[in-house]
Amino acid sequence: KNQVEQSPQSLIILEGKNCTLQCNYTVSPFSNLRWYKQDTGRGPVSLTIMTFSENTKSNGRYTATLDADTKQSSLHITASQLSDSASYICVVRGSNDYKLSFGAGTTVTVRA
Amino acid sequence: GAVVSQHPSWVICKSGTSVKIECRSLDFQATTMFWYRQFPKQSLMLMATSNEGSKATYEQGVEKDKFLINHASLTLSTLTVTSAHPEDSSFYICSARPPGLAAPTDTQYFGPGTRLTVL
């Protein structure tokens, strides 16, 4: 069964600090990996998408990395802001169909 | 960017009644739409895949007679929760996949979600 595991489950950081979220997956064959931000009570919004040939992708203060060999990805948030408080979900798509495998998410709380 | 809307954003209904949730792709045609359910502090769980003009494909464990899906046009899919019960209370999210995009960069655009509370 394809799995996507994220860590930590939650974290609290002070405004202005950096943090890194982890994602390990077993989806194979692999097509792409996306990081989504989901605000409470809202639908997920895409931050980055990476294929197997990409090692890093940035979107503003968000930088995602991918190691397709070890099946690991990370999302780094730089200079966190209060608006970064949300759940961050790692989603992996296999190359066999359109179904997405979702991680349980990491809840980030940024405090002033 | 691609925009997907849902209506209503929240709904409260009595047990035993039916509730319809609409999912619309506003600026693109979606041959495929997906319906997800999300319980508190859990990730999204795929319920069904909806293809325009054909019957939806339901995931294992999802009752197709309880969760009726209609995808009558390229911009609209509806999910009807029939004879709703309190355990159906959840956050329902749809997504749409624009046509013409192929792997590996194809993506799904998510709606804002609908909060269903069954009393």
Side-chain angles (χ1 to χ4, degrees):
Chain A
K1 180 180 178 181
N2 290 328
Q3 288 188 326
V4 179
E5 295 184 355
Q6 293 186 241
S7 62
Q9 185 176 35
S10 64
L11 65 92
I12 300 173
I13 58 174
L14 293 177
E15 187 177 16
K17 299 297 184 182
N18 305 333
C19 67
T20 300
L21 317 178
Q22 300 293 338
C23 173
N24 296 335
Y25 63 92
T26 61
V27 177
S28 182
F30 170 83
S31 178
N32 58 50
L33 182 148
R34 318 125 188 266
W35 282 94
Y36 284 90
K37 178 186 179 186
Q38 185 179 22
D39 292 311
T40 301
R42 306 291 295 174
V45 175
S46 179
L47 294 176
T48 63
I49 177 172
M50 290 182 293
T51 64
F52 66 91
S53 61
E54 297 175 292
N55 300 120
T56 184
K57 183 73 70 75
S58 291
N59 178 359
R61 295 180 295 102
Y62 301 102
T63 299
T65 66
L66 173 65
D67 186 333
D69 292 329
T70 61
K71 294 182 170 35
Q72 295 179 325
S73 176
S74 68
L75 180 69
H76 187 75
I77 304 176
T78 303
S80 61
Q81 300 177 357
L82 297 177
S83 59
D84 292 332
S85 294
S87 178
Y88 292 84
I89 305 172
C90 175
V91 183
V92 181
R93 181 188 182 283
S95 56
N96 289 337
D97 56 33
Y98 294 119
K99 292 182 181 179
L100 305 178
S101 296
F102 290 81
T106 293
T107 301
V108 175
T109 303
V110 181
R111 291 185 174 168
Chain B
V3 179
V4 177
S5 70
Q6 283 184 240
H7 178 81
S9 57
W10 60 270
V11 57
I12 301 173
C13 69
K14 293 182 178 180
S15 184
T17 61
S18 295
V19 174
K20 178 184 286 188
I21 302 171
E22 293 184 349
C23 176
R24 293 181 185 273
S25 55
L26 298 185
D27 50 2
F28 66 96
Q29 293 183 328
T31 53
T32 305
M33 289 184 172
F34 304 86
W35 287 96
Y36 296 86
R37 182 166 51 184
Q38 185 178 32
F39 293 106
K41 298 188 183 299
Q42 296 185 25
S43 195
L44 283 72
M45 292 170 33
L46 180 65
M47 299 175 65
T49 302
S50 169
N51 292 299
E52 187 268 337
S54 63
K55 292 182 178 181
T57 302
Y58 291 81
E59 294 300 300
Q60 189 174 10
V62 178
E63 301 174 57
K64 62 179 181 180
D65 294 330
K66 180 171 182 62
F67 299 99
L68 301 179
I69 292 174
N70 183 282
H71 193 161
S73 78
L74 288 173
T75 60
L76 173 65
S77 176
T78 60
L79 168 67
T80 301
V81 183
T82 63
S83 187
H85 291 283
E87 57 265 30
D88 297 324
S89 298
S90 186
F91 193 52
Y92 292 86
I93 303 175
C94 73
S95 71
R97 176 181 170 271
L101 293 178
T105 56
D106 67 295
T107 193
Q108 295 179 23
Y109 295 94
F110 289 87
T114 297
R115 172 73 60 193
L116 171 63
T117 301
V118 184
L119 303 178

